[in-house]
Amino acid sequence: MGLLSLGTPLPWEQTREYAEHVRTEGIEQLIKMFKAAYARTGDGYLWGDEVEYTLVKFDHGRGLALLSIDKDSVLADLNEDGPLAQLSVDNDLNFHPEYGRFMLEATPLAPYNGDSLENYLYVERNMNSRRSVAQTAIADGTIKPLTITVYPLMGINTFTFPSAVANGEASQSLFLPDEIINRHARFPTLTANIRKRRGEKVAINVPLYKDTNTLSIDESIPKGRSLFKHDEEPELGAALPGHIYMDSMGFGMGCSCLQVTVQAPNLNRARYLYDSWANFAPLFLALTAAAPVFKGHLADQDVRWNVISGAVDDRTAYERDVKPLHSDGAFGGMTDEAKARAQKIPKSRYDGIDSFLGDIQNDFAKDGEAVFKYFSPELNDISPPINERTLQRLAQEPQFDPVLARHFAHLYVRDPIVIFEERIHQDNDDETDHFENIQSTNWQTLRFKPPTQQATPDNKSVPGWRVEFRTMEIQLTDFENAAFSIFIVLLGQAILATDSNWYIPISKIEDNMKRAHHRDAVLKDKFHFKADINSPTFDTVELSLDEIVNGCDSFIGLMALVKKHLESRFGITGDDLSPKGTHARIYYYLELISKRASGELPTAAKFIRRFLLDHKDYQHDSKITARMNYDLLNKLNSISELGEDVRQLLGDDIGNYLINNPKA
Ligand code: GSH
């Protein structure tokens, strides 16, 4: 995430009074952004990745691996004047805050140039520097910045260092102390305002992995606490039998991911890229699966996505179309005015995208009618709710065709969750906070990012039209994170270069998102996929990830597509892409993805699950002990440092190569 607004966040009771103001002004800002940047074109294929780290404190004497929650001062050290900030800049790095006090996020300081081959090789080196600079800043060898998607014992017994008690006002969680939340006031306020708007605590129920001694009740739920009104919710039906029950934002936003953002040449191409990439969001969630355990229990799924989705779900019972837990609570913390306009909202703010943007070919502002190449409105077949006022306002502006207007009108069904007192009144000619407030708390699988009012066609010093790919789970090594980011970015570049027809009905992409959650989806599931990317129809077939990535009768495969692109765009041939070739590193990146898709190499989720199931202390009850967690995190740390163990995750071929060539 980017820079944080500074100031005083308003509690929900005040925030909700400004919801309509933020929406109205946010749309005015968006219109000004579009007017400024609409005609901008010819932008380079710049991109960046974001890596999230979890700080783990190893207490080797006691055999514990705890979440470190008192080292967050390193973020200030890495950003404010001083030797560590200088080290960060010298290494071309930028460190950002994230939800957890135990988290760091890091990006390259300046974007990579996707048109330069050398720049692709620089990605992993930049990731190496982030890890080592973070370690230098932490200045304590017992604390490691690990790239794990989920910390296995989150919310079980004493899991933080220093220890803290779950009794905080912000989350009111039965499991998570507020001391795990980033100290910046935005985050506790987000947590509290989500709860207050919903009128209940969030309730996340992840299916429990069933082993021979597994009980169907979640025994970790404390009984009889009466500190807060919400304490009774598990008994009122919030906790489902056969599930791992979690009740706080930190369970989701405390998870880590790998995101990439690219800049498209112009608005129309960004819309085409967004729509084409939509197919790959579920597929790369399944391929990068790394989250088989939550709150000390093995889950019957492999990924974090629906956990975060539930963790920030601020919809009231009425909006979710369910019976409220508290008899008078159907409308949660909505104002009377908001209640009168309330509508059913089928999905959380953190969820799959609901509509395509359309591969528009012409200048809508000039022609008044949108011409699409492949897209057809019937592909948007899930009819998400929209904010009618937003739709009508955008319809008055020549830059917004109906498909695009509906996209923003859909994002604008949400309320702002945090407003800073000092930022209520803004200059719409120059500022974007109100627009971003709603836009950046719509955490969807992809994000379409319009540029600011400064991004006029001739001002290339500020970014242009961008698309963010948000589903991938963070991988244990920099090698894997570089491989997956580069693959997605090259795929995007190949898509833009070849202009094929990737469109399938959006409801099928939504269905793929559900399938991507399944345990071992890579091996066991099939996914809806375009029957023929050279055909104008939208027919689909069901293919395994192996078939999609490595090819089959009906599809040449993403791997072949990316290799063809590497040859036509950068002149890299098959000989260069070999263990002894000039581009051995890229060869091994592609090998990793190919072997993950075929199942020859396990996903991190499968590897972690197997390690825990095989652990000598495991009682076949789906529970993780402190010792199992310690042994697992030691193993994962050794893998991330490219120790001998790396072969267990990445196989002998890639493992040996990495041990001999640790640097890209
Ligand atoms: N860690 C998350 C994941 O695994 O998907 C993604 C990060 C995220 O969405 N962070 C929240 C945020 O608002 C922090 S509460 N980020 C800024 C943004 O999305 O613009």
Side-chain angles (χ1 to χ4, degrees):
M1 73 172 300
L3 274 182
L4 289 169
S5 289
L6 292 174
T8 320
L10 299 177
W12 176 246
E13 296 72 17
Q14 285 169 270
T15 294
R16 63 186 179 184
E17 301 297 333
Y18 292 104
E20 206 49 29
H21 168 76
V22 168
R23 266 192 292 268
T24 308
E25 299 303 309
I27 286 301
E28 295 308 316
Q29 293 177 351
L30 176 69
I31 291 166
K32 287 179 188 287
M33 292 153 69
F34 261 74
K35 282 191 194 307
Y38 184 74
R40 188 180 162 114
T41 195
D43 283 343
Y45 196 60
L46 303 184
W47 70 282
D49 72 88
E50 297 168 51
V51 169
E52 294 175 342
Y53 302 85
T54 300
L55 305 190
V56 174
K57 163 92 178 165
F58 287 91
D59 181 339
H60 296 297
R62 294 197 298 154
L64 297 174
L66 303 167
L67 264 192
S68 165
I69 56 169
D70 68 347
K71 277 287 175 191
D72 51 325
S73 55
V74 299
L75 258 172
D77 298 342
L78 287 161
N79 278 288
E80 287 159 14
D81 284 348
L84 285 168
Q86 193 57 47
L87 186 67
S88 171
V89 171
D90 290 347
N91 281 279
D92 191 16
L93 310 178
N94 205 351
F95 287 87
H96 315 264
E98 248 307 328
Y99 180 83
R101 207 175 282 184
F102 54 89
M103 293 169 86
L104 292 177
E105 183 192 282
T107 61
L109 186 59
Y112 308 120
N113 178 2
D115 292 318
S116 144
L117 184 62
E118 284 66 42
N119 239 249
Y120 286 102
L121 295 170
Y122 173 64
V123 175
E124 190 182 342
R125 292 204 291 273
N126 189 275
M127 288 178 176
N128 288 165
S129 308
R130 290 178 227 173
R131 211 182 272 272
S132 70
V133 168
Q135 189 72 67
T136 305
I138 293 164
D140 176 345
T142 66
I143 298 176
K144 300 285 178 189
L146 296 184
T147 41
I148 49 174
T149 295
V150 55
Y151 170 73
L153 292 188
M154 177 74 100
I156 286 288
N157 301 325
T158 301
F159 66 96
T160 61
F161 179 86
S163 63
V165 179
N167 60 7
E169 268 294 327
S171 73
Q172 305 192 2
S173 171
L174 292 163
F175 312 98
L176 299 186
D178 279 359
E179 286 82 353
I180 67 146
I181 306 173
N182 190 314
R183 268 176 245 263
H184 186 288
R186 173 173 192 255
F187 298 96
T189 310
L190 262 176
T191 312
N193 287 4
I194 285 175
R195 174 172 50 72
K196 289 185 192 170
R197 186 186 189 285
R198 181 177 162 105
E200 299 168 6
K201 277 190 296 184
V202 294
I204 311 148
N205 285 282
V206 168
L208 185 58
Y209 175 80
K210 294 208 177 39
D211 207 337
T212 44
N213 298 333
T214 307
L215 299 176
S216 71
I217 47 157
D218 180 343
E219 288 180 306
S220 64
I221 304 172
K223 294 209 175 47
R225 190 178 89 168
S226 55
L227 199 53
F228 305 108
K229 168 185 143 207
H230 295 294
D231 287 350
E232 58 181 359
E233 287 173 1
E235 281 113 80
L236 296 179
L240 303 179
H243 288 73
I244 308 163
Y245 166 70
M246 294 169 275
D247 66 348
S248 182
M249 183 169 175
F251 283 109
M253 282 299 182
C255 292
S256 292
C257 66
L258 171 68
Q259 296 167 338
V260 296
T261 301
V262 305
Q263 175 174 265
N266 56 41
L267 165 60
N268 288 8
R269 298 305 277 161
R271 290 171 65 170
Y272 168 66
L273 178 62
Y274 178 96
D275 288 0
S276 305
W277 256 3
N279 280 284
F280 304 108
L283 308 181
F284 277 77
L285 174 63
L287 269 176
T288 56
V293 46
F294 294 94
K295 210 186 66 170
H297 293 76
L298 282 164
D300 198 16
Q301 67 177 49
D302 275 353
V303 299
R304 78 195 190 292
W305 191 268
N306 59 356
V307 177
I308 314 187
S309 183
V312 293
D313 191 355
D314 67 335
R315 291 172 304 156
T316 63
Y318 175 84
E319 289 168 330
R320 281 178 286 132
D321 207 8
V322 299
K323 219 169 136 257
L325 293 177
H326 308 281
S327 54
D328 57 347
F331 290 95
M334 292 171 115
T335 58
D336 287 341
E337 195 207 336
K339 278 181 202 169
R341 283 186 284 106
Q343 53 183 333
K344 307 288 177 195
I345 305 180
K347 286 157 80 173
S348 162
R349 323 174 63 110
Y350 186 106
D351 218 310
I353 62 161
D354 285 293
S355 56
F356 293 117
L357 302 177
D359 58 345
I360 186 166
Q361 300 294 301
N362 61 329
D363 181 346
F364 179 76
K366 192 158 112 282
D367 302 343
E369 194 173 343
V371 177
F372 298 108
K373 182 165 181 183
Y374 303 121
F375 172 78
S376 165
E378 83 250 20
L379 290 164
N380 282 338
D381 60 347
I382 52 178
S383 321
I386 52 163
N387 181 290
E388 203 50 58
R389 282 190 206 174
T390 303
L391 189 66
Q392 281 170 15
R393 177 67 189 94
L394 292 179
Q396 296 165 7
E397 295 298 332
Q399 290 80 13
F400 295 85
D401 62 273
V403 178
L404 193 62
R406 284 194 96 78
H407 165 75
F408 290 110
H410 162 54
L411 300 185
Y412 269 63
V413 298
R414 311 289 170 176
D415 277 346
I417 339 178
V418 177
I419 298 173
F420 289 89
E421 193 177 343
E422 297 78 358
R423 310 289 305 137
I424 293 172
H425 301 291
Q426 292 178 24
D427 175 358
N428 291 346
D429 286 327
D430 221 29
E431 293 177 284
T432 59
D433 277 27
H434 287 324
F435 168 69
E436 284 297 337
N437 191 326
I438 310 268
Q439 154 99 339
S440 70
T441 51
N442 267 279
W443 298 282
Q444 299 187 331
T445 42
L446 300 175
R447 189 175 288 160
F448 174 59
K449 296 179 154 183
T452 63
Q453 300 88 330
Q454 287 74 45
T456 50
D458 50 355
N459 181 11
K460 301 282 178 176
S461 67
V462 290
W465 299 95
R466 285 154 303 145
V467 185
E468 183 176 30
F469 192 91
R470 299 176 50 87
T471 51
M472 291 191 285
E473 310 223 310
I474 197 74
Q475 305 294 291
L476 294 168
T477 62
D478 297 333
F479 170 84
E480 295 161 277
N481 288 316
F484 277 103
S485 328
I486 289 170
F487 193 83
I488 286 294
V489 169
L490 286 172
L491 186 60
Q493 199 175 36
I495 286 169
L496 286 170
T498 47
D499 240 345
S500 302
N501 177 1
W502 298 93
Y503 283 104
I504 65 174
I506 200 129
S507 57
K508 300 219 166 181
I509 294 182
E510 178 126 317
D511 191 39
N512 280 349
M513 210 49 204
K514 294 199 179 83
R515 298 180 185 197
H517 279 75
H518 295 162
R519 185 152 52 85
D520 285 333
V522 173
L523 296 180
K524 297 186 183 148
D525 274 87
K526 295 217 172 216
F527 293 87
H528 305 288
F529 201 69
K530 188 80 201 302
D532 179 358
I533 58 169
N534 299 311
S535 148
T537 70
F538 308 123
D539 297 342
T540 59
V541 284
E542 296 201 21
L543 299 180
S544 67
L545 274 166
D546 187 23
E547 290 168 318
I548 293 171
V549 172
N550 294 317
C552 59
D553 288 347
S554 67
F555 179 53
I556 118 169
L558 301 180
M559 199 49 71
L561 212 99
V562 164
K563 283 184 180 165
K564 266 168 82 168
H565 176 70
L566 281 170
E567 178 157 7
S568 60
R569 181 73 186 74
F570 299 107
I572 301 184
T573 63
D575 287 346
D576 302 325
L577 277 184
S578 65
K580 298 260 174 291
T582 42
H583 290 296
R585 199 75 173 185
I586 298 181
Y587 163 80
Y588 282 107
Y589 289 153
L590 299 182
E591 277 294 285
L592 169 76
I593 289 161
S594 169
K595 288 181 172 175
R596 278 270 161 85
S598 71
E600 188 179 331
L601 293 179
T603 59
K606 191 180 172 97
F607 179 84
I608 291 169
R609 186 185 301 279
R610 201 161 56 198
F611 181 91
L612 294 169
L613 291 174
D614 290 347
H615 194 281
K616 62 176 176 20
D617 292 353
Y618 179 61
Q619 300 293 312
H620 300 278
D621 54 359
S622 312
K623 290 186 188 162
I624 316 304
T625 64
R627 183 73 209 192
M628 288 161 72
N629 177 64
Y630 171 76
D631 290 344
L632 173 70
L633 291 178
N634 268 301
K635 172 74 72 181
L636 303 186
N637 179 47
S638 148
I639 289 173
S640 67
E641 289 175 352
L642 304 185
E644 294 288 318
D645 290 334
V646 75
R647 282 195 284 255
Q648 294 171 24
L649 178 73
L650 300 182
D652 285 344
D653 251 17
I654 301 178
N656 287 336
Y657 166 76
L658 280 178
I659 289 169
N660 294 325
N661 303 275
K663 298 272 172 245

